[in-house]
């Protein structure tokens, strides 16, 4: 409860002036350091929790994601070596560890987070373990409820779009995440062939809704 209150206070005090801190990665890229996200089932029961932390060895920096099943034993651990290049946080080495499949190291060039290009969207293409994604980072406005407090915020929306064919059937997966200053990644949605679900979210987030710029300016007054 105390951690939830501190997060809410941080978000409200920041005021999220994105242009004033355009490339201030510390405000967006998991700013509180150790973060917890959950994936609920249809009944609201928590299926898994992923905790994010940072590590440094010599001159290298790492983002570590540890996933636990129902607060129990760790089922997976992904470690991303990363660096900052321009407007993006880029991972060039990934170590993926899973209880069932073991450990595998990849050297994909993944953008973990990126600021939009000023007032325009920033677009890139990346390949993650053989799957090709068309990606976009853009500014949007949201109505978010955090600990039952409604906040109207300017957010960075990052979309990863992958189309593929299995057999003779075409499929499409669209992953969308919303990031805010002082709070980091609020939620991630996955749309698989038209069925959209929240795959992970900040544990203090009640709901989120994308709104227009006009509605945002009206509600902020």
């Amino acid at each position: 409860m105390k951690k939830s209150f501190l997060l809410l206070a941080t978000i409200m005090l920041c005021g999220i002036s994105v242009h004033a801190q355009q490339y201030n990665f510390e405000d967006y890229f998991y700013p509180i350091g150790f973060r917890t996200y959950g994936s609920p089932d249809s009944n609201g029961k928590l299926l898994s929790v992923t905790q994010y932390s940072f590590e440094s060895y010599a001159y290298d920096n790492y983002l570590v994601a540890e996933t636990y099943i129902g607060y129990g034993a760790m089922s997976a651990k992904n470690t991303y070596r990363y660096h900052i290049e321009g407007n993006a946080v880029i991972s060039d080495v990934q170590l993926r560890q899973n209880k069932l499949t073991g450990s595998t190291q990849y050297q994909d060039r993944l953008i973990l987070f990126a600021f939009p290009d000023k007032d325009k969207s920033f677009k890139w293409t990346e390949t993650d373990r053989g799957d090709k994604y068309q990606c976009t980072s853009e500014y949007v406005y949201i109505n978010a409820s955090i600990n039952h407090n409604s906040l109207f915020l300017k957010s960075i929306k990052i979309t990863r779009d992958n189309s593929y064919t299995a057999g003779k059937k075409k499929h499409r997966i669209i992953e969308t995440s919303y990031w805010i200053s002082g709070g980091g990644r609020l939620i991630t949605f996955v749309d698989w062939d038209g069925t959209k679900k929240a795959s992970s979210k900040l544990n203090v987030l009640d709901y989120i809704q994308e709104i227009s710029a006009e509605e945002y300016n009206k509600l902020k007054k």
Side-chain angles (χ1 to χ4, degrees):
M1 187 67 182
K2 183 178 179 182
K3 185 181 293 184
S4 301
F5 174 78
L6 289 174
L7 172 63
L8 177 62
T10 300
I11 294 171
M12 296 183 73
L13 287 173
C14 279
I16 67 167
S17 176
V18 177
H19 288 288
Q21 338 175 30
Q22 187 176 7
Y23 289 169
N24 191 347
F25 293 96
E26 291 81 2
D27 283 352
Y28 283 87
F29 191 57
Y30 305 106
I32 303 176
F34 204 80
R35 308 304 302 279
T36 301
Y37 296 84
S39 299
D41 62 12
S42 58
N43 298 317
K45 182 179 178 182
L46 200 61
L47 296 179
S48 65
V49 173
T50 301
Q51 297 177 334
Y52 294 81
S53 59
F54 294 96
E55 297 179 358
S56 295
Y57 300 104
Y59 297 101
D60 292 327
N61 296 314
Y62 299 87
L63 173 67
V64 182
E66 298 174 321
T67 300
Y68 298 83
I69 299 177
Y71 294 107
M74 184 169 64
S75 61
K77 180 179 179 180
N78 294 328
T79 303
Y80 304 87
R81 188 176 76 177
Y82 73 90
H83 65 278
I84 293 174
E85 184 178 309
N87 66 324
V89 179
I90 299 173
S91 173
D92 56 357
V93 176
Q94 306 85 40
L95 177 62
R96 302 183 184 274
Q97 300 169 277
N98 189 288
K99 288 289 185 179
L100 298 177
T101 60
S103 300
T104 307
Q105 181 171 301
Y106 298 86
Q107 291 183 311
D108 294 322
R109 189 179 188 275
L110 307 178
I111 292 185
L112 304 179
F113 172 81
F115 282 96
D117 185 11
K118 296 182 179 180
D119 289 328
K120 299 180 181 179
S121 60
F122 172 67
K123 298 182 179 181
W124 71 96
T125 300
E126 66 182 28
T127 301
D128 184 0
R129 289 165 289 179
D131 294 325
K132 190 174 182 179
Y133 292 83
Q134 302 297 328
C135 309
T136 305
S137 174
E138 60 188 320
Y139 289 118
V140 297
Y141 298 96
I142 60 172
N143 173 10
S145 175
I146 298 176
N147 272 354
H148 309 294
N149 292 277
S150 186
L151 302 175
F152 306 104
L153 306 167
K154 191 171 185 178
S155 170
I156 292 177
K157 175 183 177 181
I158 295 179
T159 304
R160 289 180 167 86
D161 192 337
N162 168 241
S163 297
Y164 68 97
T165 301
K168 294 183 178 180
K169 191 173 182 180
K170 294 182 178 180
H171 299 277
R172 187 179 184 185
I173 301 175
I174 304 173
E175 178 187 286
T176 307
S177 58
Y178 293 86
W179 306 67
I180 62 170
S181 176
R185 181 163 63 99
L186 284 181
I187 193 167
T188 298
F189 293 102
V190 174
D191 184 325
W192 196 322
D193 292 341
T195 301
K196 184 178 179 180
K197 294 182 179 180
S199 63
S200 64
K201 73 180 187 70
L202 190 63
N203 57 347
V204 296
L205 178 70
D206 304 311
Y207 69 82
I208 186 173
Q209 179 185 18
E210 196 169 324
I211 59 177
S212 66
E214 293 76 15
E215 187 175 1
Y216 169 80
N217 290 326
K218 181 180 178 180
L219 292 169
K220 286 290 288 184
K221 291 181 179 179

